[in-house]
């Protein structure tokens, strides 16, 4: 990945600074009423608040990891003209060069694959049955080249 601080780092830093500031400035004992004959106060325990803070940070990190795992796939294709001299007459043919790029949901590039000779696509339909014995159709897409087929989607999508 990159050496720059990420969004997760900034969010956790801000939450930690707010927690430390609140922990330092807040008093454990709050006095509601004080007189010569009567003292009414509340002791606020810090442990439940601290545990909630830790669980909240674990939740933020888990949500961030989920967004990093889900890829967004992009296919960029360009037609490249090639001039082929044949007996004084220039023939032009074109080849298609594509790049299959995967991004996470935060825009960071995860992988890049060069594809040459793209012919077309082939949608595949998978049939499954759910517990109620109903048919469930899921679809995937494969990219077809001269030599092989490359999966465009890694996850099967419902209708």
């Amino acid at each position: 990945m990159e050496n720059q601080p990420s969004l997760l780092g900034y969010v956790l830093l801000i939450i930690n600074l707010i927690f430390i500031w609140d922990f330092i400035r807040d008093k454990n004992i709050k006095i509601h009423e004080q007189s010569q004959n009567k003292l009414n106060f509340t002791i606020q325990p810090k442990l439940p608040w601290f545990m909630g803070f830790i669980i909240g940070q674990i939740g933020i990190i888990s949500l961030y990891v989920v967004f990093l795992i889900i890829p967004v796939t992009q296919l960029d294709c360009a037609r490249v003209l090639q001039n082929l001299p044949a007996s004084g007459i220039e023939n032009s043919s074109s080849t298609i060069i594509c790049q299959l790029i995967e991004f996470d949901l935060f825009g960071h590039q995860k992988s890049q694959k060069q594809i040459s000779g793209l012919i077309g696509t082939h949608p595949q339909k998978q049939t499954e049955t759910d517990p109620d014995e109903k048919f469930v159709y899921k679809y995937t897409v494969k990219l077809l080249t001269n030599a092989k087929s490359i999966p465009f989607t890694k996850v099967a999508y419902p209708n």
Side-chain angles (χ1 to χ4, degrees):
M1 274 202 134
E2 301 170 356
N3 290 334
Q4 300 174 353
S6 66
L7 177 65
L8 176 67
Y10 287 129
V11 169
L12 292 178
L13 176 67
I14 290 170
I15 290 173
N16 286 335
L17 290 175
I18 290 171
F19 173 73
I20 291 169
W21 176 74
D22 189 56
F23 193 77
I24 290 172
R25 87 169 165 81
D26 202 16
K27 307 269 192 262
N28 268 353
I29 298 176
K30 287 197 176 186
I31 298 174
H32 299 289
E33 183 180 344
Q34 181 178 1
S35 64
Q36 286 183 335
N37 299 333
K38 188 175 187 181
L39 177 62
N40 189 3
F41 64 92
T42 305
I43 298 175
Q44 295 180 334
K46 294 288 185 178
L47 184 63
W49 201 84
F50 181 73
M51 294 301 291
F53 168 74
I54 297 296
I55 291 170
Q57 281 198 352
I58 291 171
I60 289 172
I61 292 170
S62 301
L63 188 63
Y64 183 79
V65 167
V66 166
F67 282 128
L68 285 180
I69 291 173
I70 301 172
V72 175
T73 307
Q74 176 180 336
L75 181 67
D76 290 331
C77 294
R79 186 177 300 266
V80 178
L81 293 175
Q82 295 176 338
N83 292 328
L84 300 173
S87 68
I89 302 171
E90 289 191 10
N91 294 333
S92 62
S93 67
S94 63
T95 58
I96 299 174
I97 298 176
C98 298
Q99 290 183 340
L100 190 61
I101 306 168
E102 281 188 355
F103 296 96
D104 60 17
L105 289 179
F106 296 106
H108 297 108
Q109 184 174 332
K110 292 175 76 172
S111 68
Q112 180 175 355
K113 185 186 283 188
Q114 188 89 8
I115 301 171
S116 59
L118 182 66
I119 298 172
T121 61
H122 178 66
Q124 292 181 327
K125 179 171 137 181
Q126 301 169 354
T127 306
E128 297 176 0
T129 55
D130 63 0
D132 297 332
E133 298 296 322
K134 294 181 183 176
F135 287 107
V136 177
Y137 299 103
K138 294 186 177 182
Y139 300 92
T140 59
V141 176
K142 288 195 175 204
L143 303 174
L144 301 176
T145 64
N146 295 331
K148 59 183 176 179
S149 63
I150 300 165
F152 180 66
T153 54
K154 293 181 181 176
V155 178
Y157 294 98
N159 315 4

